[in-house]
Amino acid sequence: GPWGVAAEWSLNQGIGSSILFMGMKGLQGAISCSYLSRPNQLQQVWRNAGTPVAAAIRPDALSQGAVRTELHGTWQWSNFSIHGRGMHVAGLTVAETCVGYLIQKAWPLHVTAGVESWTGLDSSFLPNEGMRFRVGLAHQLSMTPGSPTFALP
């Protein structure tokens, strides 16, 4: 059917689940909820100044466990796609949208253009609020990492 459920667990990282939708005419979507475990001394915070929401997995100042929620969807028609995502974790809220054109199918490669905005980011290397625009090549339409890994979009 068009609906599915997925879940994942990672030792010392957290647990999450997602409800997935595969609709007619290229529409896909998912809503997920995850619990990020309290970090231990062995964990290293992922940092990438070019990708503000690398901190979406675990914001810099987050020393306790936290709930992370995300809603995202994609609509695809022929080689064209539109993607949108909203995410919230521990005071950090992110919204993004982008369009893409698939130029290679064997190992998916998209020409993309999009915008992302965030607020509440407690980071040592980025402002608390911001927006960025992106044009480029990508293997997936999402501009941000940290989505649950169990399914597209």
Side-chain angles (χ1 to χ4, degrees), residues 39-75:
N40 60 39
Q41 283 97 6
L42 301 176
Q43 289 174 318
Q44 184 175 2
V45 176
W46 299 349
R47 293 174 181 249
N48 181 347
T51 308
V53 195
I57 297 170
R58 181 177 307 282
D60 285 355
L62 183 59
S63 61
Q64 302 297 316
V67 173
R68 179 179 188 274
T69 56
E70 183 173 339
L71 173 66
H72 56 148
T74 299
W75 178 71

Side-chain angles (χ1 to χ4, degrees), residues 10-118:
S10 179
L11 183 65
N12 297 323
Q13 296 292 320
I15 187 168
S17 64
S18 183
I19 298 172
L20 312 166
F21 173 75
M22 299 284 286
M24 301 290 282
K25 304 199 186 241
L27 181 64
Q28 302 176 49
I31 185 168
S32 64
C33 186
S34 304
Y35 178 76
L36 303 174
S37 301
R38 181 181 180 148
N40 60 39
Q41 283 97 6
L42 301 176
Q43 289 174 318
Q44 184 175 2
V45 176
W46 299 349
R47 293 174 181 249
N48 181 347
T51 308
V53 195
I57 297 170
R58 181 177 307 282
D60 285 355
L62 183 59
S63 61
Q64 302 297 316
V67 173
R68 179 179 188 274
T69 56
E70 183 173 339
L71 173 66
H72 56 148
T74 299
W75 178 71
Q76 185 172 357
W77 179 72
S78 184
N79 287 358
F80 293 95
S81 299
I82 299 172
H83 172 81
R85 177 191 315 214
M87 190 277 310
H88 180 80
V89 60
L92 170 62
T93 301
V94 178
E96 74 166 305
T97 188
C98 65
V99 294
Y101 181 79
L102 182 65
I103 59 174
Q104 176 180 306
K105 290 183 181 180
W107 190 34
L109 187 60
H110 303 266
V111 175
T112 65
V115 62
E116 174 185 50
S117 65
W118 67 91

